[in-house]
Amino acid sequence: MGEPQLKIYRIEGLSCANCAAKFEKNVKELQGVEDAKLNFGASKISVQGAATIADLEKAGAFENLKIRDEDARVSKPEPFWKQKANIKVLISAILLVFSWFLSKGEADGWLSAAGYAAAILAGGYSLFITGIQNLVRFRFDMHTLMTVAIIGAAFLGEWAEGAAVVILFAISEALEKYSMDKARRSIGSLMDIAPKEALIRRDGVESVMAVADIRTEDIMIVKPGKKLAMDGVVVRGTSTVNQAAITGESMPVPKTEADEVFAGTLNGEGLLEVLVTKLVKDTTLSKIIHLVEEAQAERAPSQAFVDKFAKYYTPAIILIALGIGLIPPVFLNGDWSEWIYRGLAVLVVGCPCALVISTPVAIVTAIGNAAKNGVLIKGGVYLEELGSISAIAFDKTGTLTKGVPQVTDFLMIAEQENQEKWLAAAAALEKNSDHPLASAILREADRRGTDYRSIKADYFQSLTGKGIRGEIDGMVYFVGSPKLFHVTDEADEHISRLQKEGKTVIAIGTEESLKAVIAVADEIRESSKEAIRKLHDLGIQKTIMLTGDNEGTAQTIGRKAGVHAIESELLPEDKLTFIKQEKISHQKVAMVGDGVNDAPALAASTVGIAMGGAGTDTALETADIALMADDLQKLPFTVKLSRKTIRIIKQNISFSLAIKLLALIMIAPGWLTLWLAIFADMGATLIVTLNSLRLLKAEEQRDLSK
């Protein structure tokens, strides 16, 4: 027999972290289920084994959870005031107010007590069912604490306070649900970016099709002002496309034939015909949504701390409440009613709602906001780590520079030789290479009309970090670093001059001698210098440029970029060694590259950051963080977002614990009442969630230091 089937479902109505844990446990106990893993941030559950949607909804019946297939469109939540749970709270509140007025004119108070009891039942019967079930099974969560407190208040005759606790707790849960829904909508909005259908030409016939029915090789016709439904390549037409939804770029990007386009982007003024290259489940947008949802399941270090703390915190609160309720009456002749009441107040104020939700809301909100700004963060751990980075290393080619080198000089060292012959030989070898500089030589050969494609190069070999070699018509040729050859003083003078101008020198020759040199220049990105200046302003202690290029070129580019240190003539293993050494001295080091080259260095760094993730599967798969556009300006924004997230999480945890401590201090003089205890807990939950939702407003252009 094979592995049990793994299926993923979306959950509607999941807002409480404790309820999420209980639902996951219930699903694991279902017959036929091997394992289950719940993603609270994305509100999804992965189930391994045989389970129907009806089975899953039964497991989540305690919270009235609704289950949908992963691909099904999740219905938008009802307006806050129309939700059934909130209507019950409103009825309970009306009964409470009515009973309070009755109590003012009553002599014996039985009618108002009945009204308070009705308010408790109307607003809290689902709470009681869950709480009593937990008590029977010795599970202690916030529902258990509230149930004991309310039943205790009723036994003590404190009907009004019991009703107030029910209503305030229900309001607290409603606000918690609202805040989680709002945080999740940052991802939900991504899911609604791309159209669900498109105008398709197939076999010469045009028709509107659902995206699920569109196949690769179909032609998608995109009219001006319409969004693209699929990834593809432009085969006809010219236009500008707003790619902000995918890359975060603020300015539309020109598109013409052979240019790549993405689902969810907005076509400008021209009609485009696009050859569909990916199915809907494989589009860049689909991958972003999937990776962001998976990222929300990754527990950040602070969240792991809170979860571990809460595990011991709740039993400790129960023991403290028992001690306060029993020790003074038994050993100190205290009044039973008074001290049991104080113990119940401790149970209520000890509810860990605010503490448990303090981290996940902040993480979910920050990761969702980053995705909307063109930055893909693949887990809360990387979000937190980036905020504490002290050094950042940058690959040169394609990161600090544009990565599109151009030939600027072609000098013959052996004057009697034919320049075209040696350019053709170099191009014939370089067409077998995937080095970024190879494309510059090929473009130059094409520009000059040099026939190199008909030349056959045998015994091609890549000389790691040095160049390439191959045999043409029985003669061995070398193309690469000048260090491959014996260089005369005159040739060395030319090479030094070109390198001081910031150009990379490629030497061409045979086993006997150097024949020609080609100078190639790669322009620095306009955004690089500004991005590095902003990183320095943020307090990054050290920025380093890593390159395999010669020292002269590296120094010129490094000075223009404004980095602190420059490391040149590095092989891939040298970059890896350098990152490891920097981690020893700076402890936390980020590496920024293109996600394809320098993979070992990216993997060894504390946080690996890939440039230009849009359309690059390797970058999306391998990097911890992907900047979807080729724009380093997103890096300072991401560092600031990370730091603000850490700051907000610390504020949330500190505030939650401080409120609990203050309330516990109020027990001694008898100032802590039941309604004040639940009001303190509700207030803490509300403040923590609103504080976390501030991260929704964080934008690249805005100062996040406040």
Side-chain angles (χ1 to χ4, degrees):
M1 292 181 66
E3 282 285 313
Q5 184 185 9
L6 178 68
K7 194 162 183 187
I8 300 172
Y9 301 91
R10 295 191 180 277
I11 311 164
E12 292 183 20
L14 187 67
S15 59
C16 154
N18 282 323
C19 301
K22 181 179 177 182
F23 175 57
E24 183 182 71
K25 187 174 185 297
N26 288 352
V27 172
K28 286 180 178 178
E29 291 172 354
L30 288 174
Q31 187 174 359
V33 172
E34 296 286 329
D35 194 18
K37 186 177 181 182
L38 191 139
N39 181 337
F40 178 61
S43 198
K44 292 166 67 174
I45 187 166
S46 305
V47 181
Q48 193 161 11
T52 65
I53 286 178
D55 292 333
L56 298 175
E57 289 190 341
K58 187 176 179 182
F62 68 94
E63 196 70 4
N64 198 29
L65 301 179
K66 300 298 178 187
I67 311 299
R68 302 283 183 267
D69 283 322
E70 184 185 24
D71 297 331
R73 293 196 67 180
V74 178
S75 57
K76 291 185 178 179
E78 283 185 304
F80 196 65
W81 59 89
K82 286 187 179 180
Q83 292 177 19
K84 187 179 176 182
N86 299 338
I87 292 171
K88 288 190 294 185
V89 175
L90 180 62
I91 294 169
S92 183
I94 291 169
L95 285 169
L96 174 65
V97 173
F98 178 71
S99 302
W100 182 79
F101 278 113
L102 277 179
S103 68
K104 296 299 177 185
E106 266 190 303
D108 52 12
W110 72 268
L111 195 58
S112 59
Y116 288 133
I120 290 172
L121 288 173
Y125 73 87
S126 58
L127 164 68
F128 298 144
I129 291 169
T130 305
I132 290 167
Q133 286 175 343
N134 287 351
L135 270 175
V136 171
R137 296 169 186 167
F138 293 98
R139 290 179 185 165
F140 296 99
D141 62 9
M142 57 188 178
H143 292 91
T144 316
L145 300 183
M146 291 297 113
T147 300
V148 171
I150 294 161
I151 292 173
F155 272 114
L156 293 175
E158 301 290 346
W159 292 99
E161 292 205 27
V165 167
V166 165
I167 292 166
L168 289 172
F169 179 70
I171 292 171
S172 175
E173 283 203 309
L175 290 170
E176 190 176 333
K177 183 177 186 299
Y178 172 76
S179 64
M180 278 307 301
D181 285 344
K182 191 170 179 65
R184 287 183 183 129
R185 274 199 291 272
S186 59
I187 301 304
S189 62
L190 282 176
M191 298 176 72
D192 294 330
I193 284 173
K196 303 304 173 189
E197 56 185 23
L199 179 60
I200 295 294
R201 182 190 301 134
R202 183 186 294 171
D203 300 327
V205 179
E206 293 183 8
S207 61
V208 175
M209 289 186 185
V211 290
D213 299 326
I214 298 173
R215 302 195 296 252
T216 56
E217 303 302 316
D218 284 342
I219 299 296
M220 178 173 63
I221 300 167
V222 189
K223 296 178 180 179
K226 296 291 184 180
K227 284 186 175 181
L228 283 78
M230 307 290 286
D231 283 11
V233 175
V234 177
V235 292
R236 188 176 180 186
T238 301
S239 185
T240 57
V241 174
N242 186 332
Q243 300 188 151
I246 302 295
T247 65
E249 294 168 285
S250 57
M251 297 299 292
V253 179
K255 297 289 182 180
T256 188
E257 289 181 25
D259 285 340
E260 192 174 16
V261 289
F262 308 110
T265 58
L266 179 66
N267 185 24
E269 70 287 347
L271 179 72
L272 293 177
E273 292 189 10
V274 177
L275 178 71
V276 176
T277 56
K278 294 178 181 177
L279 298 176
V280 65
K281 63 183 177 64
D282 299 321
T283 63
T284 301
L285 179 62
S286 296
K287 287 184 178 179
I288 291 171
I289 292 167
H290 174 73
L291 289 169
V292 169
E293 288 185 331
E294 290 303 304
Q296 292 174 343
E298 296 293 326
R299 291 182 180 273
S302 57
Q303 191 171 349
F305 160 76
V306 167
D307 290 346
K308 190 173 182 180
F309 181 83
K311 184 179 178 181
Y312 299 101
Y313 168 85
T314 305
I317 286 292
I318 292 172
L319 290 175
I320 291 170
L322 280 173
I324 289 172
L326 297 177
I327 292 172
V330 172
F331 297 103
L332 303 174
N333 230 9
D335 181 70
W336 278 96
S337 295
E338 179 186 347
W339 286 101
I340 288 175
Y341 179 86
R342 292 189 187 187
L344 294 175
V346 171
L347 282 182
V348 173
V349 82
C351 182
C353 299
L355 183 64
V356 170
I357 205 170
S358 60
T359 303
V361 176
I363 295 292
V364 168
T365 306
I367 289 176
N369 184 31
K372 289 171 70 175
N373 279 280
V375 180
L376 179 60
I377 302 172
K378 294 176 69 175
V381 61
Y382 307 119
L383 179 67
E384 286 198 23
E385 291 280 23
L386 188 63
S388 56
I389 290 293
S390 53
I392 302 179
F394 298 87
D395 179 40
K396 177 180 79 72
T397 305
T399 301
L400 293 177
T401 63
K402 292 180 179 178
V404 188
Q406 301 289 339
V407 172
T408 59
D409 303 85
F410 195 134
L411 301 178
M412 294 304 302
I413 302 302
E415 294 181 3
Q416 72 277 12
E417 296 283 357
N418 180 281
Q419 191 180 83
E420 291 301 308
K421 169 192 169 183
W422 290 99
L423 177 59
L429 289 174
E430 290 288 14
K431 71 182 179 183
N432 299 306
S433 171
D434 60 358
H435 193 279
L437 297 181
S439 60
I441 294 175
L442 296 178
R443 281 194 298 271
E444 180 67 11
D446 288 334
R447 186 185 70 80
R448 294 191 183 199
T450 304
D451 180 20
Y452 63 89
R453 289 182 175 84
S454 62
I455 299 174
K456 186 181 179 184
D458 296 317
Y459 308 110
F460 176 83
Q461 184 182 359
S462 176
L463 309 172
T464 305
K466 295 176 182 178
I468 56 177
R469 62 170 300 217
E471 190 175 302
I472 299 174
D473 295 333
M475 182 179 288
V476 178
Y477 289 78
F478 291 84
V479 181
S481 169
K483 292 181 179 179
L484 284 169
F485 305 92
H486 171 70
V487 180
T488 63
D489 291 342
E490 182 184 355
D492 189 52
E493 189 177 323
H494 288 302
I495 292 169
S496 297
R497 174 180 61 80
L498 292 169
Q499 289 178 344
K500 285 176 183 176
E501 292 173 3
K503 299 170 183 176
T504 301
V505 176
I506 301 170
I508 308 167
T510 64
E511 289 178 301
E512 288 78 29
S513 63
L514 173 65
K515 300 295 184 181
V517 293
I518 297 177
V520 176
D522 187 7
E523 291 183 64
I524 189 169
R525 293 179 189 271
E526 294 175 7
S527 60
S528 295
K529 187 174 181 179
E530 180 65 12
I532 288 171
R533 182 192 64 77
K534 287 180 179 178
L535 290 171
H536 292 166
D537 291 344
L538 286 170
I540 298 296
Q541 296 171 15
K542 189 176 181 181
T543 52
I544 316 106
M545 185 183 81
L546 307 181
T547 179
D549 221 330
N550 65 81
E551 187 177 355
T553 302
Q555 290 291 335
T556 302
I557 297 293
R559 280 196 298 270
K560 286 181 181 177
V563 294
H564 288 134
I566 300 159
E567 297 290 331
S568 58
E569 302 182 15
L570 299 178
L571 298 174
E573 54 266 32
D574 297 329
K575 294 181 181 181
L576 174 61
T577 303
F578 179 83
I579 291 293
K580 288 180 176 178
Q581 289 172 343
E582 282 297 305
K583 283 179 75 174
I584 295 171
S585 57
H586 282 90
Q587 294 182 334
K588 293 190 177 182
V589 180
M591 172 73 188
V592 187
D594 62 9
V596 181
N597 300 321
D598 309 313
L602 283 167
S605 61
T606 309
V607 180
I609 303 168
M611 288 280 289
T616 309
D617 290 345
T618 310
L620 291 176
E621 306 272 343
T622 60
D624 303 323
I625 296 175
L627 309 181
M628 301 305 289
D630 283 333
D631 185 5
L632 267 184
Q633 294 277 25
K634 300 291 180 183
L635 187 53
F637 158 74
T638 312
V639 172
K640 288 191 283 187
L641 178 66
S642 169
R643 290 181 179 178
K644 183 167 186 178
T645 304
I646 294 170
R647 196 160 59 244
I648 281 177
I649 288 171
K650 287 179 178 177
Q651 289 170 358
N652 288 348
I653 293 172
S654 301
F655 180 76
S656 302
L657 294 177
I659 285 290
K660 306 297 182 191
L661 184 60
L662 179 63
L664 289 173
I665 291 171
M666 291 172 67
I667 291 170
W671 296 343
L672 185 67
T673 61
L674 278 177
W675 70 266
L676 186 60
I678 189 63
F679 191 75
D681 181 70
M682 183 189 74
T685 302
L686 180 59
I687 289 170
V688 160
T689 52
L690 290 176
N691 194 35
S692 298
L693 291 176
R694 288 167 54 209
L695 290 164
L696 282 175
K697 303 297 182 184
E699 294 177 4
E700 186 183 352
Q701 297 81 8
R702 192 170 296 180
D703 180 11
L704 301 182
S705 61
K706 296 178 182 177

